[in-house]
Amino acid sequence: MKKISAGLFTSVDGVVGEPQTWHFPYFCEELGAAVMAQLGAADTILFGRVTYDSFAGAWPARELAGEEDAGMAKAIGDARKIVVSRKPLELTWRNSEQLQGELIEGVRALKDEPGDGVIGVNGSIYMHPIAIRRGLRLFADADSPIPLTLLSCTPFKSGTVHLVYGPSEGPALDNQDPIAKKVSEEYDN
C-alpha cells in the first residue's frame, strides 16, 4: 500500500486558507528546499486544479531552461501527477491525469495500487510565525481529536517551522519530557 505524504502552509493559529496572502514574507531557501525535497521523493503527486495550474505554468519551463532547479523540475515532471477537479480537464504537462471518481474513493484507490511508493501532496506542515485570526483552518471542529506523533521538527531562519507528523494510537506520554508528562497527568486529574 502506498503512503500519502501531505504538506501545507499554516499559520500558528491553524489557518491554511489563502497562503498567497501571508506565506511569502517567510519564504527562505531552506523552506524552498524542504518543500522540493518532499515533492521530489514522491513517485505520484496529488494536486488540486489551481495548484496544478500554477506548477504546470512554471516547472516545465524551469526544466527546459536547464538552470539550478532543472533537476527538481525534471523529477516533478517525471512523477505521475493526479489532478483533482469536478470538471473535465485537458492536462498538457507530461504524466498528468485527472483523478477518477469521487475524492475519497479515488485517493483510496491510488493508495491501494501495487507498490510502496509515496503519494505527495504539496507540503508537510510548514507553520509560519503569524496568526491570521480568520479563514479556512487545517481541521474543522469535530467530536473527537486525531492523535498524531511528531516525526521531525526543523526550524528555519525565517521563523517558519517544518513539522512532520504521522498517525498515532494516542498520546505518547511515556516518551514525553518528565515535566510535560507531570503537567499532563495533573491536568487530567
Side-chain angles (χ1 to χ4, degrees), residues 7-187:
L8 55 109
F9 300 138
T10 182
S11 64
V12 170
D13 58 344
V15 173
V16 296
E18 300 185 30
Q20 71 278 7
T21 64
W22 50 264
H23 155 72
F24 290 106
Y26 302 99
F27 186 83
C28 64
E29 193 172 307
E30 300 165 301
L31 175 58
V35 170
M36 291 300 107
Q38 186 233 347
L39 286 180
D43 58 356
T44 301
I45 304 173
L46 187 63
F47 288 103
R49 186 202 46 83
V50 172
T51 304
Y52 173 84
D53 288 347
S54 172
F55 273 58
W59 286 104
R62 290 179 179 181
E63 182 178 354
L64 288 174
E67 295 191 18
E68 189 175 313
D69 60 0
M72 179 56 67
K74 181 178 181 338
I76 295 172
D78 288 345
R80 179 182 181 199
K81 290 169 284 302
I82 309 293
V83 185
V84 177
S85 178
R86 294 184 189 272
K87 299 178 182 178
L89 302 173
E90 287 188 37
L91 306 171
T92 58
W93 193 10
R94 73 180 185 278
N95 302 321
S96 297
E97 60 191 86
Q98 188 166 352
L99 182 74
Q100 299 303 307
E102 292 297 314
L103 177 64
I104 301 299
E105 292 78 20
V107 172
R108 280 190 184 129
L110 285 174
K111 283 185 66 176
D112 290 340
E113 288 179 352
D116 59 355
V118 174
I119 301 168
V121 181
N122 190 18
S124 18
I125 297 177
Y126 298 92
M127 185 176 295
H128 293 56
I130 185 171
I132 305 301
R133 301 178 59 197
R134 63 178 157 30
L136 178 67
R137 300 205 180 265
L138 177 56
F139 296 106
D141 289 346
D143 292 334
S144 61
I146 302 170
L148 301 170
T149 297
L150 181 65
L151 302 175
S152 70
C153 176
T154 308
F156 300 134
K157 63 184 173 191
S158 66
T160 297
V161 180
H162 180 199
L163 303 164
V164 178
Y165 288 96
S168 173
E169 295 298 317
L173 293 178
D174 293 339
N175 298 328
Q176 284 185 345
D177 175 77
I179 294 172
K181 184 176 179 181
K182 182 175 176 149
V183 169
S184 179
E185 288 169 351
E186 288 177 9
Y187 180 77

